[in-house]
Each structure stands twice: as structure tokens, then as C-alpha cells.
Amino acid sequence: MRRYADGVFAAGPEAAAGAVFQATGRFRDPGYHEEWEQPGAEAEFTAVVDLPLRGLRP
């Protein structure tokens, strides 16, 4: 399994978690609810979620 300690990932766990938190802000903040209904919003959400998930898989 690839891990940060193995030198595979450039960002540490805290930095990676912070980046994911920032990237997903508009998808979890109710203030953006009108954007959630816009065309393409679901595809954008999927792209933002898939990127870190692919990087976290072994």
C-alpha cells in the first residue's frame, strides 16, 4: 500500500485533508444550494470527489 511515509505523496495528510475540505466547500455549504441545481453541477461534484478518492486508493 502506498503511503505518505513512503514518499509517494507530496502533501502530508493534514495538507491533503485541508485541500479536499476547501475543494468541496461549494458542494456542502447550503449557501450554494442554487448552484447545486445548475446543469453540470453533478458532474463537477463527481470530478471533485473522484480525484482524491483515486489518489487515496492503493
Side-chain angles (χ1 to χ4, degrees):
M1 178 163 87
R2 298 180 297 179
R3 302 174 307 152
Y4 171 70
D6 297 332
V8 175
F9 301 106
E14 293 85 7
V20 170
F21 183 79
Q22 293 298 325
T24 59
R26 65 180 263 226
F27 300 108
R28 56 185 166 69
D29 182 341
Y32 290 91
H33 70 93
E34 291 179 2
E35 288 187 23
W36 301 341
E37 300 298 323
Q38 298 298 314
E42 188 168 342
E44 292 171 359
F45 173 77
T46 300
V48 168
V49 170
D50 283 351
L51 183 62
L53 289 179
R54 282 194 306 265
L56 293 171
R57 288 189 183 118

